[in-house]
Amino acid sequence: MPQPEGAELEAIRARRADLRGKYLQAPADRRPTTVQGVHHLALICKDVEETIRFYQELLGFPLVELVENRDYRGSSHFFFDIGHGNLLGFFDFPGHDHPDFSETIGAVQHLALSTSPEEFERAKARLDEAGVDYLGPDRGVENSLYVRDPNGVGLEFYREELGKFEGEELLGENPSR
């Protein structure tokens, strides 16, 4: 996709600076969040077994439930444990002809998953062994590896602690976790 340049790029950067100044509060001034965290992220898959094999067998995320979707007869709803009480959920919708993944408004660009340096290397080795394409660590970003699941969902394995970004504590002294 084409990237902005020149005056257009400078205007975008100025707008971001304005938004930071207007909305970003110092950690001590932030109110606590109104929720407890992510219970589950619910995504759509094209093939239940292929998705289970990718997440459980290749990536090592345990499947913890597989039931019928309460809102659509015949559809499966299933969950993987992604740590710290967080679940990654999927639905399938038999009979629906869903288009392939598209990076567009409202789509999930990627899901960044915090991982230890050791698990980062193990994930990279498993992907290499399975012949799964990925990006990284490269482009000057040594702590990230990007892969797409069989449904087109982008995953980032990020060697960073929860609540931090590029070594900076985002939650400050008032963490709501």
Side-chain angles (χ1 to χ4, degrees), residues 31 44 47 56 102 107 140 146 155 162 166:
R31 291 181 288 191
I44 297 172
D47 183 291
Q56 181 166 266
S102 174
Y146 299 89
L155 302 170
L162 292 171
E166 300 298 316

Side-chain angles (χ1 to χ4, degrees), residues 138-154:
D138 60 5
R139 300 174 299 145
V141 181
E142 296 299 317
N143 57 356
S144 292
L145 180 151
Y146 299 89
V147 62
R148 290 218 178 265
D149 83 352
N151 309 294
V153 175

Side-chain angles (χ1 to χ4, degrees), residues 83-158:
H84 290 275
N86 297 291
L87 299 167
L88 178 59
F90 283 90
F91 292 102
D92 71 334
F93 292 101
H96 279 243
D97 184 24
H98 293 287
D100 288 337
F101 169 81
S102 174
E103 193 170 55
T104 187
I105 302 299
V108 173
Q109 205 280 331
H110 72 272
L111 175 61
L113 302 163
S114 174
T115 187
S116 69
E118 299 79 20
E119 186 52 43
F120 183 91
E121 293 303 322
R122 284 192 287 272
K124 189 174 178 285
R126 287 191 307 268
L127 293 168
D128 285 340
E129 185 177 318
V132 175
D133 291 332
Y134 58 88
L135 294 174
D138 60 5
R139 300 174 299 145
V141 181
E142 296 299 317
N143 57 356
S144 292
L145 180 151
Y146 299 89
V147 62
R148 290 218 178 265
D149 83 352
N151 309 294
V153 175
L155 302 170
E156 175 187 7
F157 286 87
Y158 188 36

